[in-house]
Amino acid sequence: MKITLDGTVYEAEPGQTILEVARANGINIPTLCYMPGLPPFGACRICLVEVERSPALVAACTAPVMEGMNIKTNSKRVIDARRFVVQLLVSCHPLDCMTCEKTGDCTLQDLAYELGVTNPREDEGDRHKYPIDSSNPFIIRDYNKCILCQRCVRVCDEIQGIVAIKNINRGFDTKIATAYDGTLQDSNCVFCGQCVQACPVGALVPKKAVGKGRHWELQKVRTTCPYCGVGCQLNLHMKGDQIAYVSAVEDGSPNKGRLCVKGRFGYDFIYSEDRLKTPLIKENGAFREASWDEALDLVASKFKQIISESGPDAIAGVSCARSINEDSYQMQKLFRAVIGTNNIDHCART
Ligand code: FES
């Protein structure tokens, strides 16, 4: 089908939303609650657009395209409506951007700047005074900054399947909370941190990132998680050689923007003084550093000695679950074809 966006005709597929067609054609429609990979939701109303013959403005993230639609994405009416939405959000926001960890990476901050929302409304209303929860080692929860976009709730529920958080109360007192409004560690939260990655403002921030650098000071380095053989894709957000925080690569396989607690928060081991940097050979009860050649020659000579004395079945190998499939294949090949035994297993088999 064909639709018109800001005076230009574009091709669209049935089932696409206005937002999807606009983004596919490089037209920016701002969003707060929209998340790729989740069904349309329509909570924040920042993506409003003007559709010809529709009396009300339409949420672009939920509205499916129809043949011949004529849509304005940046008319004065649209911009005024978006500005009003942001003014409402800002009117009960703490406005502590100078000390907020999320400064420079906050969608609300960007929208307020873009739409010229410089001050809270004159008829400023109440503000929340929720206590900040930093009682767990991973996530700081400051719901005074929450815009109730529901992204954290939806990733926890619809992607992770954990359902650790939901809305409680009504109206102005609506709040994201665990059951009985307790701490995350007293809930069924598994600390995967998907909620942190989904939060567009500073309501949920990784605790270890505090004070580690502003967004514009950090360099994003893509890498593979070292914890298991799945090979999840990570972004390390680095200041110099220090990791400020870790996020999942949104469009990277196999994890497609998801991580577990270890991959997202368990990176401190890389700074440990106890890490082995060279092979060690034990002599007279004590370890000494050795080169890789020396260490591998020693292992090979010991294998040969055992095989000549007791046969190849005197040796067994257990490969590691952190290894990728190709490494596990080579491990069994080494044992079967080189050493000559079928004594080979994998620690994750059971
Ligand atoms: Fe469309 Fe929130 S992004 S309503």
Side-chain angles (χ1 to χ4, degrees), residues 303 306-316 335 338-343:
F303 276 173
I306 293 168
I307 292 167
S308 70
E309 287 172 6
S310 312
D313 284 338
I315 299 176
F335 271 72
V338 178
I339 293 176
T341 178
N342 288 323
N343 291 338

Side-chain angles (χ1 to χ4, degrees), residues 30-34 42-47 59-61:
T31 56
L32 281 167
C33 69
Y34 169 77
C44 74
R45 318 312 282 179
I46 198 68
C47 68
C61 69

Side-chain angles (χ1 to χ4, degrees), residues 133-137 139 141 178 182-189 191:
D133 177 11
S134 58
S135 59
N136 70 78
I139 301 169
R141 304 158 76 208
T178 62
T183 60
L184 288 175
Q185 56 272 38
D186 288 334
S187 75
N188 51 340
C189 174
F191 290 101

Side-chain angles (χ1 to χ4, degrees), residues 19-126:
L19 180 70
E20 286 167 346
V21 178
R23 290 205 166 160
N25 291 286
I27 296 170
N28 176 41
I29 297 175
T31 56
L32 281 167
C33 69
Y34 169 77
M35 273 199 83
L38 284 175
F41 194 59
C44 74
R45 318 312 282 179
I46 198 68
C47 68
L48 293 173
V49 293
E50 204 173 341
V51 178
E52 195 176 62
R53 291 199 290 276
S54 168
L57 295 176
V58 167
C61 69
T62 57
V65 288
M66 289 191 286
E67 177 68 45
M69 257 185 171
N70 188 5
I71 302 151
K72 290 179 187 164
T73 70
N74 59 7
S75 65
K76 180 173 184 316
R77 191 177 164 214
V78 165
I79 300 300
D80 285 350
R82 288 181 191 157
R83 185 178 297 118
F84 182 66
V85 170
V86 174
Q87 274 177 336
L88 286 174
L89 292 172
V90 162
S91 70
C92 61
H93 195 82
L95 298 178
D96 62 345
C97 298
M98 61 289 257
T99 53
C100 179
E101 272 304 313
K102 196 80 173 184
T103 281
D105 189 25
C106 172
T107 314
L108 182 62
Q109 188 184 51
D110 291 346
L111 284 171
Y113 182 79
E114 190 182 312
L115 295 165
V117 180
T118 52
N119 283 307
R121 294 182 308 157
E122 283 174 14
D123 56 340
E124 187 181 340
D126 286 346

Side-chain angles (χ1 to χ4, degrees), residues 52-303:
E52 195 176 62
R53 291 199 290 276
S54 168
L57 295 176
V58 167
C61 69
T62 57
V65 288
M66 289 191 286
E67 177 68 45
M69 257 185 171
N70 188 5
I71 302 151
K72 290 179 187 164
T73 70
N74 59 7
S75 65
K76 180 173 184 316
R77 191 177 164 214
V78 165
I79 300 300
D80 285 350
R82 288 181 191 157
R83 185 178 297 118
F84 182 66
V85 170
V86 174
Q87 274 177 336
L88 286 174
L89 292 172
V90 162
S91 70
C92 61
H93 195 82
L95 298 178
D96 62 345
C97 298
M98 61 289 257
T99 53
C100 179
E101 272 304 313
K102 196 80 173 184
T103 281
D105 189 25
C106 172
T107 314
L108 182 62
Q109 188 184 51
D110 291 346
L111 284 171
Y113 182 79
E114 190 182 312
L115 295 165
V117 180
T118 52
N119 283 307
R121 294 182 308 157
E122 283 174 14
D123 56 340
E124 187 181 340
D126 286 346
R127 284 166 198 259
H128 297 291
K129 292 194 176 59
Y130 297 128
I132 298 171
D133 177 11
S134 58
S135 59
N136 70 78
F138 306 120
I139 301 169
I140 298 177
R141 304 158 76 208
D142 182 356
Y143 287 123
N144 300 298
K145 297 175 184 174
C146 176
I147 59 170
L148 296 171
C149 68
Q150 309 296 318
R151 287 166 58 119
C152 56
V153 173
R154 297 178 73 216
V155 293
C156 186
D157 182 352
E158 298 174 39
I159 292 183
Q160 299 300 100
I162 303 297
V163 203
I165 46 177
K166 283 285 185 190
N167 291 287
I168 60 167
N169 304 332
R170 288 288 182 272
F172 183 71
D173 293 328
T174 305
K175 182 187 167 194
I176 310 297
T178 62
Y180 308 106
D181 201 9
T183 60
L184 288 175
Q185 56 272 38
D186 288 334
S187 75
N188 51 340
C189 174
V190 296
F191 290 101
C192 64
Q194 285 308 121
C195 55
V196 177
Q197 184 153 337
C199 182
V201 294
L204 300 170
V205 297
K207 196 169 188 176
K208 290 182 194 169
V210 174
K212 294 275 174 56
R214 285 305 196 185
H215 178 67
W216 53 87
E217 298 176 304
L218 304 180
Q219 188 195 359
K220 200 158 79 174
V221 180
R222 182 168 171 162
T223 189
T224 302
C225 180
Y227 269 108
C228 75
V230 173
C232 290
Q233 294 300 291
L234 312 176
N235 285 317
L236 306 179
H237 299 261
M238 312 277 302
K239 184 176 180 185
D241 61 0
Q242 294 289 308
I243 297 174
Y245 68 99
V246 169
S247 65
V249 176
E250 289 284 359
D251 54 356
S253 286
N255 48 318
K256 297 193 171 70
R258 296 153 211 176
L259 286 176
C260 70
V261 60
K262 291 193 290 184
R264 192 182 300 277
F265 297 118
Y267 51 82
D268 286 344
F269 73 91
I270 66 170
Y271 303 116
S272 171
E273 288 299 313
D274 297 334
R275 290 189 76 187
L276 295 180
K277 301 189 176 86
T278 61
L280 300 175
I281 291 176
K282 199 170 195 178
E283 283 176 349
N284 303 321
F287 285 111
R288 68 166 174 84
E289 291 188 357
S291 69
W292 278 104
D293 280 346
E294 185 186 7
L296 291 172
D297 284 349
L298 177 65
V299 172
S301 70
K302 293 285 184 192
F303 276 173

Side-chain angles (χ1 to χ4, degrees), residues 8 45 81 94 187 317 329 331 334:
T8 303
R45 318 312 282 179
S187 75
Y329 173 82
M331 176 84 171
L334 172 76

